[in-house]
Amino acid sequence: MHLAVSLNIASAPGQASLAFAEIASLVRKAEAAGVDMVVISDAGDERSSSPFEATTLLAALATVTERIGLVAGASTLAHQPYNLARRFASLDIISHGRTGWNATLAQNPREAANFSRPEGLSDDDFRRRAQEFIGIVQGLWRGWDADALLFDKAAGRFHDPEKMHLLDHKGQFFSVRGPLNVARSPQDTPVLVMSGLAEADLDFGAKVADAVLIEAEGAKTAYDDLKRRAVAAGREPETMKVLMTVGVNEFTAAELEGWFDSKSCNGFNFALPADLSVFDHVANRVLPELRRSGLARLGYDGPTLRRHLGLGAGDEK
């Protein structure tokens, strides 16, 4: 059973913003409990209730954790694909292969107005633009072979040209030459997490995502559908993990075990509000019961997020 904690760092009205020390304490607690990854939300339209930009927060969290995966939300409207690919590639090196990007295909009109698109985009244009954006990012992450950079001062060779791959993308919305000026990730590529998928997004998500977050309602149907679409896209089903999102105080360990045994998911994503004390229910009651039944582990199988999730190398898709 794979486990994630999804943390909304935007404070509720009348609630004080979270300090970094509070967030770091929660993430270390999740790490001690053997949680695979923590997912940090981000939204450009939250005026002052989100105290940190998510990828910046990940860089800081990487310095105070050792094993837990660190995933940040980042909008395709608020960034250019080259800069975002470079940022996550850098974070993956800083964290020794523990980084992931939570990409959502849901458009936020208020966010669009902050990035020179006051009218937003049509739903179809937004979807096609986002899919092109994600494809570019993944292509840039694979621009260098693992052993391409030589740093051979004596021979004057920075890299092996045969192991550098120009993306040379020219699409409807973007033109990106590549490659990144960042070495290949310690885990091959950062993990691509997708959430909030609409019906029109499912084929794309099943083709490219490493992990998909789904809602509890209708989870069995959604899980089976995503796995079927992954197979239709030429993938092995286990190269994409499907995690069911649950509210922290709304379930028991027995209920989680029932969902898991019925093959409704590959694991669970515990959705936390800015009140971090609610994670105590998971850490102190639910996870110990799951460990006793052999469904949840204590500790990690390897150093990278891909190893935590039992995924193959990124270029095996």
Side-chain angles (χ1 to χ4, degrees), residues 56-120:
T56 308
L57 179 58
L58 249 60
L61 290 172
T63 68
V64 296
T65 57
E66 295 181 353
R67 305 301 289 276
I68 193 168
L70 302 170
V71 178
S75 164
T76 58
L77 273 180
H79 304 274
Q80 285 290 313
Y82 185 91
N83 285 341
L84 192 70
R86 184 171 183 250
R87 184 176 305 171
F88 276 103
S90 298
L91 285 169
D92 218 35
I93 293 172
I94 291 169
S95 66
H96 304 290
R98 295 187 287 129
T99 294
W101 171 31
N102 181 22
T104 178
L105 298 186
Q107 182 174 195
N108 186 326
R110 289 180 59 185
E111 183 178 59
N114 287 328
F115 295 96
S116 304
R117 295 185 179 275
E119 304 302 321

Side-chain angles (χ1 to χ4, degrees), residues 8-316:
N8 184 357
I9 61 174
S11 57
Q15 182 181 11
S17 295
L18 293 172
F20 173 71
E22 295 175 294
I23 297 173
S25 177
L26 179 280
V27 175
R28 286 194 295 264
K29 185 183 295 185
E31 184 173 57
V35 170
D36 293 308
M37 61 184 180
V38 60
V39 183
I40 305 294
S41 65
D42 199 22
D45 70 320
E46 299 290 346
R47 294 173 184 166
S48 61
S49 58
S50 294
F52 305 105
E53 188 275 326
T55 61
T56 308
L57 179 58
L58 249 60
L61 290 172
T63 68
V64 296
T65 57
E66 295 181 353
R67 305 301 289 276
I68 193 168
L70 302 170
V71 178
S75 164
T76 58
L77 273 180
H79 304 274
Q80 285 290 313
Y82 185 91
N83 285 341
L84 192 70
R86 184 171 183 250
R87 184 176 305 171
F88 276 103
S90 298
L91 285 169
D92 218 35
I93 293 172
I94 291 169
S95 66
H96 304 290
R98 295 187 287 129
T99 294
W101 171 31
N102 181 22
T104 178
L105 298 186
Q107 182 174 195
N108 186 326
R110 289 180 59 185
E111 183 178 59
N114 287 328
F115 295 96
S116 304
R117 295 185 179 275
E119 304 302 321
L121 295 167
S122 71
D123 288 342
D124 185 57
D125 280 352
F126 178 85
R127 179 170 292 109
R128 286 186 291 110
R129 182 183 181 278
Q131 291 182 4
E132 184 178 339
F133 187 115
I134 291 167
I136 293 168
V137 169
Q138 290 191 305
L140 288 169
W141 283 342
R142 300 187 182 102
W144 297 98
D145 290 349
D147 57 350
L149 300 183
L150 303 174
F151 303 110
D152 186 350
K153 292 182 179 180
R157 301 180 72 208
F158 171 72
H159 70 280
D160 182 344
E162 297 298 319
K163 297 180 179 181
M164 181 195 78
H165 311 289
L166 292 180
L167 184 65
D168 201 22
H169 173 88
K170 295 180 176 66
Q172 179 181 0
F173 298 96
F174 302 101
S175 177
V176 181
R177 181 175 184 270
L180 291 179
N181 58 350
V182 179
R184 196 170 179 102
S185 160
Q187 58 174 342
D188 188 33
T189 67
V191 169
L192 178 65
V193 178
M194 300 194 77
S195 59
L197 296 181
E199 177 69 26
D201 305 322
L202 294 176
D203 280 337
F204 178 72
K207 179 180 179 181
V208 304
D210 295 306
V212 179
L213 307 181
I214 63 172
E215 298 302 318
E217 185 176 354
K220 173 62 175 173
T221 300
Y223 173 86
D224 290 342
D225 184 43
L226 282 165
K227 294 290 186 174
R228 177 187 60 78
R229 291 173 191 260
V231 171
R235 301 179 65 182
E236 293 294 329
E238 286 307 302
T239 63
M240 177 188 66
K241 304 302 180 182
V242 179
L243 304 186
M244 182 196 300
T245 298
V246 293
V248 169
N249 290 315
E250 299 171 0
F251 60 87
T252 65
E255 288 173 312
L256 296 184
E257 186 171 352
W259 280 322
F260 186 74
D261 288 343
S262 68
K263 299 190 184 308
S264 297
C265 58
N266 296 119
F268 298 94
N269 171 44
F270 303 119
L272 298 187
D275 179 6
L276 303 183
S277 64
V278 297
F279 182 65
D280 293 341
H281 171 66
V282 175
N284 299 332
R285 298 185 59 185
V286 175
L287 293 186
E289 291 182 40
L290 292 176
R291 282 194 286 270
R292 281 193 290 272
S293 63
L295 293 177
R297 68 173 186 269
L298 180 61
Y300 297 94
D301 296 331
T304 68
L305 179 53
R306 285 190 176 277
R307 286 288 297 275
H308 302 347
L309 294 175
L311 299 170
D315 57 5
E316 290 180 356

